[in-house]
Amino acid sequence: MESESDRGFLVSPEMESFLCKQLLDTTLPIAERFRALFSVRNLKGRAPREALIAATRDSSNLLAHEAAFALGQMQDAEAVPALESVLTDLSLDPIVRHEAAEALGAIGLESNIGVLEKSLASDPAPEVRETCELALTRIKETETVQGVDGPSPFLSVDPAAPAAQDATVEELREKLLNEDKGMYERYSALFALRNQGTREAVSAIIDSLAARSALLRHEVAYVLGQLQNKSASDALIDVLKDANEHPMVRHEAAEALGSIAGIAHFSTPSVIFIID
């Protein structure tokens, strides 16, 4: 008997069990556990979900936040209680709580609004509060904007719907760089620029690495990794080298460089020092 993943993968029960154990085995190198995580997130059902939920409490903030992100990308409503628990647990690192809030927005249930509003009003970390604001807007937009819940052209469930397709790069650039605009509107401009993917669009995205919000800067780095455009490398290297930059921004810059360059010294394990 076999179980089927949400994306059409088939694995045996034995392989599913092996991958879940690999994910949670703290004696293994972090790179091996990440490889297991990337496989587990493509599966569906109780065991993969519970393994990822357990991983959100891992001693590695890097692994824990990636597990929360994966649960959001899977849009598994059964994970909501655990994600709410992570979001409201102030003993956890803000990068993990932030990812739990984003995951609740990605799942998009109206019943998630209460806990997001509470954290928006009370969480001490600005990046968590900003994520709650984004997630709340996304849930409300889901009810009125067709396609918000579907994957992007990059096969990701984004925290904001892209701005209108007929918007020009200059219009999108102005919204993205405007510090007076709301976070959701700036995110929408960011994803619209990503989807256009022209040289001018990528240039505008790179310029937004100077934004005041660490949350926005980290999403910009993530998007540059999705685009895999080599013209972003120098700017991302500068972010990674900046010891005063927020750890979650440097983490995303390192991952983006790994996506762009595909070389070992910019891969995910290189950022353990930054996050933990």
Side-chain angles (χ1 to χ4, degrees):
M1 181 177 181
E2 293 180 316
S3 62
E4 184 178 5
S5 79
D6 286 330
R7 298 181 184 177
F9 293 170
L10 294 172
V11 299
S12 68
E14 292 78 14
M15 177 56 73
E16 178 181 275
S17 177
F18 171 77
L19 291 169
C20 291
K21 288 179 180 177
Q22 289 277 105
L23 169 60
L24 299 177
D25 188 347
T26 57
T27 68
L28 292 176
I30 196 70
E32 291 185 27
R33 299 180 70 196
F34 258 81
R35 282 195 290 271
L37 189 155
F38 295 143
S39 295
V40 170
R41 74 179 184 182
N42 287 318
L43 306 178
K44 68 177 181 180
R46 181 182 59 82
R49 180 194 315 120
E50 289 184 354
L52 286 166
I53 287 172
T56 64
R57 299 284 180 162
D58 197 85
S59 59
S60 166
N61 294 326
L62 183 67
L63 188 78
H65 105 288
E66 194 70 33
F69 174 76
L71 289 167
Q73 294 297 296
M74 293 163 71
Q75 297 186 295
D76 188 343
E78 296 295 325
V80 164
L83 289 167
E84 290 181 340
S85 177
V86 170
L87 173 59
T88 56
D89 187 347
L90 297 184
S91 71
L92 299 176
D93 192 275
I95 193 174
V96 183
R97 301 204 311 278
H98 138 72
E99 212 61 73
E102 184 172 305
L104 289 169
I107 294 170
L109 299 181
E110 190 173 348
S111 57
N112 296 342
I113 289 176
V115 69
L116 288 165
E117 287 180 335
K118 181 179 178 180
S119 291
L120 173 62
S122 63
D123 198 285
E127 59 269 34
V128 178
R129 295 195 302 271
E130 287 178 334
T131 307
C132 290
E133 177 189 347
L134 274 171
L136 285 164
T137 306
R138 187 188 188 283
I139 291 171
K140 294 168 185 176
E141 288 285 307
T142 299
E143 299 176 356
T144 57
V145 179
Q146 185 178 4
V148 169
D149 265 345
S152 74
F154 293 81
L155 302 180
S156 57
V157 182
D158 297 325
Q165 294 182 2
D166 59 355
T168 67
V169 168
E170 191 54 40
E171 289 170 338
L172 295 169
R173 177 191 177 90
E174 191 280 327
K175 288 181 180 178
L176 177 58
L177 300 181
N178 190 336
E179 297 288 354
D180 294 326
K181 296 288 186 182
M183 191 59 65
Y184 191 89
E185 187 173 2
R186 297 177 78 184
Y187 262 58
S188 294
L190 171 63
F191 292 121
L193 287 165
R194 177 201 64 186
N195 292 350
Q196 290 191 19
T198 63
R199 181 176 63 182
E200 293 78 10
V202 173
S203 176
I205 294 171
I206 292 171
D207 288 345
S208 65
L209 283 170
R212 287 202 299 260
S213 167
L215 183 73
L216 180 58
R217 295 197 303 275
H218 111 288
E219 196 70 26
V220 168
Y222 171 76
V223 163
L224 290 171
Q226 286 186 310
L227 287 166
Q228 297 182 307
N229 191 306
K230 291 182 179 180
S231 66
S233 296
D234 287 345
L236 289 166
I237 290 170
D238 287 342
V239 170
L240 183 58
K241 288 180 177 178
D242 185 357
N244 295 317
E245 179 57 274
H246 194 292
M248 74 178 186
V249 184
R250 295 173 71 199
H251 149 65
E252 290 295 349
E255 285 204 339
L257 285 164
S259 297
I260 293 168
I263 51 179
H265 61 277
F266 283 136
S267 64
T268 296
S270 69
V271 299
I272 304 301
F273 164 76
I274 296 171
I275 299 298
D276 288 350

